């Protein structure tokens, strides 16, 4: 469900958007081959014919690049949750490059254990942390020798850390002030909210680049897990927001900040309740939403699932995901939570 007033869906426009999306995916594949193999090899070598690694099944170069992109994001999430729950990061055996990878292992800056006051939040955090560490292990097993090393990651709490920069952009703190995601339960939940929705849309978008049904199935399983995580975080923030309204407005601010980074389309959503209405006009109250449902279902509703009018969740391109984790609208190859950039072939954010 969207936070802003939506025009009625036009069939021709939707078809054009779908064709443009397919063209973008083809361009992403071509760009990878030019980078990895050289322009001359693109015409000579088919994606399905090139294999890397010693995982459970043969990988195309494109599949390996896409899975390694996901692995970078999982390193970030796993380290954040692991530190928040245990006070320690991942074992070094989960961070090194595969024997066929020439990537360099980076260090983690910041991170510490949260003294949770709510036992339910602590249990949720532990469950998600275990899942995220398992995701790293799983992706590394799929990639085999092609797995990239963990890049340098910033999950600190100083005034110049990525979390603080993101919090300032979202209006949680003043520019130049520190935001500590480990200080209390609420800060932890807001930091988790920053990551989880991005993870869902990243898998939704990146899955379209996968050629192997085996890896598409793996991506679907990972996406589902991330969606469950996101729903937990959104639900807890929504419920706690009944007593502390600033939690809802802060989450909405994070959503707006993500939207400001990843392009011109307003598709990211916060957690404040929305009004389901039959039609939308220029005078409809902001926050209203016109879903494709019977009249009996219209009225005030929560916004736990950030779905569109058709009930589906949008996906982000790799470049748009990198805009958010690099904390910039510009086309760059590093910044934000990845101060030295990602490891692998997909490293450049989009120019917005």
């Amino acid at each position: 469900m969207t936070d802003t007033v939506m025009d009625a869906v036009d069939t021709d426009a939707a078809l054009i958007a779908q064709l443009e999306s397919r063209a973008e995916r083809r361009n992403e594949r071509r760009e990878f081959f030019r980078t990895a193999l050289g322009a001359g090899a693109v015409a000579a070598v088919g994606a399905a014919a090139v294999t890397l690694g010693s995982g459970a099944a043969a990988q195309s170069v494109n599949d390996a690049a896409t899975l390694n992109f996901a692995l970078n994001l999982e390193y970030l999430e796993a380290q954040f949750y692991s530190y928040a729950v245990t006070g320690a990061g991942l074992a070094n055996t989960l961070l090194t490059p595969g024997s066929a990878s020439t990537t360099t292992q980076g260090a983690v800056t910041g991170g510490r254990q949260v003294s949770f006051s709510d036992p339910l939040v602590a249990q949720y955090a532990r469950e998600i942390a275990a899942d995220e560490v398992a995701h790293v292990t799983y992706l590394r097993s799929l990639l085999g020798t092609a797995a990239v090393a963990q890049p340098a990651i910033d999950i600190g709490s100083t005034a110049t850390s990525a979390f603080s920069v993101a919090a300032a952009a979202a209006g949680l703190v003043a520019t130049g002030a520190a935001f500590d995601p480990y200080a209390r339960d609420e800060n932890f939940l807001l930091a988790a909210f920053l990551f989880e929705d991005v993870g869902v849309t990243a898998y939704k978008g990146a899955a379209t680049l996968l050629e192997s049904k085996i890896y598409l199935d793996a991506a679907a399983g990972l996406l589902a897990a991330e969606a469950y995580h996101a729903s937990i975080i959104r639900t807890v923030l929504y419920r706690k927001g009944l007593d502390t309204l600033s939690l809802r407005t802060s989450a909405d601010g994070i959503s707006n900040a993500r939207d400001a980074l990843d392009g011109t389309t307003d598709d990211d959503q916060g957690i404040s309740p929305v009004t389901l209405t039959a039609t939308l006009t220029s005078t409809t109250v902001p926050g209203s939403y016109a879903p494709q449902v019977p009249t009996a279902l219209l009225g005030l509703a929560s916004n736990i699932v950030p779905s569109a009018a058709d009930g589906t969740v949008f996906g982000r391109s790799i470049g748009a995901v990198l805009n958010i984790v690099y904390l910039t609208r510009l086309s760059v190859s590093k910044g934000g939570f990845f101060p030295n950039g990602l490891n692998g072939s997909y490293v450049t954010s989009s120019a917005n």
Side-chain angles (χ1 to χ4, degrees), residues 52-65:
L52 287 175
S54 59
Q59 306 157 5
S60 75
V61 171
N62 192 67
D63 281 353

Side-chain angles (χ1 to χ4, degrees), residues 26 29 42 52 60-61 73 75 123 131 159 162 179 197 209 217 219 229 239 262 267 278 300 302 316 331 333 335:
R26 287 196 300 270
R29 290 187 177 114
V42 176
L52 287 175
S60 75
V61 171
L73 300 182
Y75 281 136
Q123 291 170 23
D131 286 345
F179 174 78
D197 278 17
L209 302 174
D217 179 73
H229 297 166
R239 177 61 186 86
D262 70 357
D267 43 20
L300 189 66
S302 63
R316 283 186 170 94
S331 177
S333 58

Side-chain angles (χ1 to χ4, degrees), residues 21-22 24-30 47 60-67 69 202-212 216 316-319 346:
S21 177
R22 291 177 180 175
E24 182 180 354
R25 294 196 295 269
R26 287 196 300 270
N27 289 338
E28 283 186 331
R29 290 187 177 114
R30 292 192 187 103
S60 75
V61 171
N62 192 67
D63 281 353
T66 304
L67 292 179
F69 168 73
Y203 274 112
K204 173 67 159 51
T208 62
L209 302 174
L210 293 170
E211 299 161 1
S212 165
L216 184 59
R316 283 186 170 94
S317 68
I318 288 176
Y346 293 125

Side-chain angles (χ1 to χ4, degrees), residues 310-349:
D310 60 2
T312 64
V313 175
F314 75 100
R316 283 186 170 94
S317 68
I318 288 176
V321 172
L322 293 178
N323 285 126
I324 296 174
V325 297
Y326 288 167
L327 300 177
T328 180
R329 293 176 57 88
L330 305 178
S331 177
V332 300
S333 58
K334 61 182 179 180
F337 294 97
F338 295 98
N340 296 331
L342 269 64
N343 277 332
S345 301
Y346 293 125
V347 299
T348 306
S349 58

Side-chain angles (χ1 to χ4, degrees), residues 32-344:
F32 169 75
F33 284 116
R34 290 190 182 96
T35 301
L37 304 175
V42 176
V45 183
V50 183
T51 58
L52 287 175
S54 59
Q59 306 157 5
S60 75
V61 171
N62 192 67
D63 281 353
T66 304
L67 292 179
N68 269 319
F69 168 73
L71 178 58
N72 278 271
L73 300 182
E74 295 291 359
Y75 281 136
L76 173 61
E77 288 188 299
Q79 292 287 22
F80 167 65
Y81 283 110
S82 181
Y83 270 102
V85 173
T86 71
L90 275 62
N92 192 65
T93 53
L94 291 178
L95 309 179
T96 57
S99 60
S101 173
T102 58
T103 54
T104 301
Q105 181 178 335
V108 175
T109 300
R112 73 173 191 275
Q113 190 171 16
V114 177
S115 295
F116 292 105
S117 59
D118 186 334
L120 287 179
V121 174
Q123 291 170 23
Y124 292 149
R126 186 173 297 277
E127 177 183 5
I128 296 175
D131 286 345
E132 299 297 356
V133 175
H135 290 176
V136 170
T137 304
Y138 180 47
L139 283 170
R140 286 176 62 91
S141 69
L142 288 175
L143 284 158
T145 59
V148 296
Q150 175 193 270
I153 289 174
D154 176 9
I155 52 172
S157 56
T158 66
T160 58
S161 71
F163 273 125
S164 296
V165 174
L172 276 62
V173 297
T175 301
F179 174 78
D180 186 352
Y182 313 101
R184 56 196 184 109
D185 295 20
E186 292 76 13
N187 286 23
F188 164 79
L189 289 167
L190 290 170
F193 176 72
L194 172 62
F195 287 153
E196 288 300 342
D197 278 17
V198 177
V200 173
T201 57
Y203 274 112
K204 173 67 159 51
T208 62
L209 302 174
L210 293 170
E211 299 161 1
S212 165
K213 289 185 178 180
I214 293 175
Y215 298 119
L216 184 59
D217 179 73
L222 291 165
L223 186 156
E226 296 294 346
Y228 278 119
H229 297 166
S231 68
I232 290 174
I233 299 301
R234 293 176 72 96
T235 299
V236 175
L237 283 169
Y238 187 86
R239 177 61 186 86
K240 286 180 176 290
L242 289 173
D243 302 319
T244 308
L245 183 60
S246 62
L247 284 176
R248 291 184 178 180
T249 57
S250 292
D252 292 346
I254 291 172
S255 171
N256 291 333
R258 291 190 302 230
D259 248 335
L261 292 170
D262 70 357
T264 58
T265 304
D266 183 10
D267 43 20
D268 202 300
Q269 298 171 44
I271 62 171
S272 290
V274 295
T275 299
L276 308 185
T277 185
T279 58
L280 296 173
T281 68
S282 60
T283 59
T284 304
V285 176
S288 298
Y289 169 61
Q292 301 168 5
V293 298
T295 303
L297 292 178
L298 302 180
L300 189 66
S302 63
N303 195 16
I304 303 304
V305 182
S307 58
D310 60 2
T312 64
V313 175
F314 75 100
R316 283 186 170 94
S317 68
I318 288 176
V321 172
L322 293 178
N323 285 126
I324 296 174
V325 297
Y326 288 167
L327 300 177
T328 180
R329 293 176 57 88
L330 305 178
S331 177
V332 300
S333 58
K334 61 182 179 180
F337 294 97
F338 295 98
N340 296 331
L342 269 64
N343 277 332

